[in-house]
Amino acid sequence: GAVVSQHPSRVICKSGTSVKIECRSLDFQATTMFWYRQFPKKSLMLMATSNEGSKATYEQGVEKDKFLINHASLTLSTLTVTSAHPEDSSFYICSAAKTSGFAGELFFGEGSRLTVL
Amino acid sequence: RKEVEQDPGPFNVPEGATVAFNCTYSNSASQSFFWYRQDCRKEPKLLMSVYSSGNEDGRFTAQLNRASQYISLLIRDSKLSDSATYLCVVRHASGGSYIPTFGRGTSLIVHP
């Protein structure tokens, strides 16, 4: 099956610092990647849709200046949490589809657990 | 009303039992439907797509009712390894992409 790699899997940082999370599709090209965050015992909440070569589309309530998304190539999207605060602590996870159609399976990265002290 | 709703459970069943989960969605323009499985602190993985005619994969059967806007998952002969959270996923077209919306998941615990 397709592989999506996410890095780092775990990061602890001080309040006020920025953290970058990478999402790579290892064996396929993904024109679209999705970024989510998940709180304990809650559903995955879509943060933004990342399209290669264009600006990300953010969901309502997600600050685009806070969560910077860059999709510079067909195999790499990055999420940067800027000036992180304790309330940004969460599980961030990306997914990518091999095909652009609606029936395409989504492949998920392993997730990145961010803890902001 | 949430876009995709699931009973969070937990469903606590003995090995060998049959268990069913439902999921309702609010967007009538939704075009594709899936069940994903998520183990604790892991990423979701596709269990099965859900087709209009219903489909089966071993012990798992999925059904879609477009008129009532719900999908279901039936697990027969439950195994201990089936213990996980089952996520209902619905995709609809928006801005050139097919946006996936997740339910909060239904927790299944299979005990000996």
Side-chain angles (χ1 to χ4, degrees), chain A residues 10 32 34 36 38 41-44 46 49 51 59 91 93 97 100-106 108-110 113, chain B residues 31-34 36 38 41-46 49 87 89 91 95-100 102-105:
Chain A
R10 191 179 295 270
T32 303
F34 302 96
Y36 308 83
Q38 186 177 33
K41 300 187 184 298
K42 300 291 185 183
S43 66
L44 276 76
L46 182 64
T49 302
N51 294 297
E59 295 299 299
F91 187 60
I93 193 165
S100 58
F102 61 84
E105 178 181 353
L106 295 174
F108 286 82
E110 306 94 326
R113 192 163 299 280
Chain B
Q31 294 177 283
S32 55
F33 310 88
F34 308 86
Y36 278 74
Q38 186 175 25
R41 302 175 83 87
K42 298 284 188 181
E43 75 275 20
K45 293 188 177 177
L46 179 67
S49 302
L87 304 171
V89 182
R91 296 182 77 174
S97 299
Y98 289 97
I99 306 300
F102 284 75
R104 64 177 293 183

Side-chain angles (χ1 to χ4, degrees), chain B residues 19 32 55 69:
Chain B
V19 62
S32 55
N55 48 299
Q69 296 184 195

